[in-house]
Amino acid sequence: MGADEEAELPEPERTEPERTEPGRTGGPEQQAGPGGPAGPAGLDARDRAVLALEARSWRTAGAKERAVREELGLSSTRYYQLLNGLLDRPEALAHAPVLVNRLRRVRAARRAAR
């Protein structure tokens, strides 16, 4: 292509960047992982679902265990293993700081009681 032909091509359509929450960008941390597309905090869909389920209040332990099986398809043991691992990740802290800090305090208190 010559210089004249390039001038005849339409200019690519420009769009505004997607608006995100302050401090969060749509960068490479949103790449898909094994559990689905990663969210703004770099967590995959399963990680976000674990945190969301843990944030809910439960009347009985049985209701929570049933929800873990039905909604996430995980055993209770695997759910708590994933949750415990999430508590150590900075991405989880960025995604749900109040929940993660509360769960870290509970975990520390249980360890200290042993």
Side-chain angles (χ1 to χ4, degrees):
M1 267 185 166
D4 294 337
E5 291 174 4
E6 288 179 346
E8 293 175 15
L9 294 175
E11 199 169 310
E13 190 174 315
R14 294 184 182 169
T15 59
E16 291 184 31
E18 185 178 29
R19 295 180 186 212
T20 58
E21 293 179 26
R24 295 193 178 181
T25 60
E29 69 273 11
Q30 289 187 340
Q31 295 175 0
L43 299 174
D44 63 23
R46 183 181 64 179
D47 294 340
R48 291 190 310 272
V50 167
L51 290 173
L53 194 123
E54 189 62 29
R56 291 167 33 190
S57 59
W58 305 96
R59 290 183 186 248
T60 65
K64 181 178 180 180
E65 306 306 324
R66 189 169 32 260
V68 167
R69 279 191 311 275
E70 292 173 1
E71 295 176 25
L72 301 176
L74 299 171
S75 69
S76 296
T77 302
R78 183 64 183 141
Y79 169 79
Y80 286 109
Q81 288 172 342
L82 289 171
L83 179 62
N84 192 46
L86 277 171
L87 297 182
D88 296 325
R89 292 181 53 194
E91 298 93 349
L93 183 61
H95 180 73
V98 174
L99 174 67
V100 171
N101 282 326
R102 178 178 59 84
L103 293 173
R104 285 178 175 179
R105 284 191 304 272
V106 170
R107 181 176 67 177
R110 286 185 179 155
R111 285 182 178 168
R114 288 187 209 168

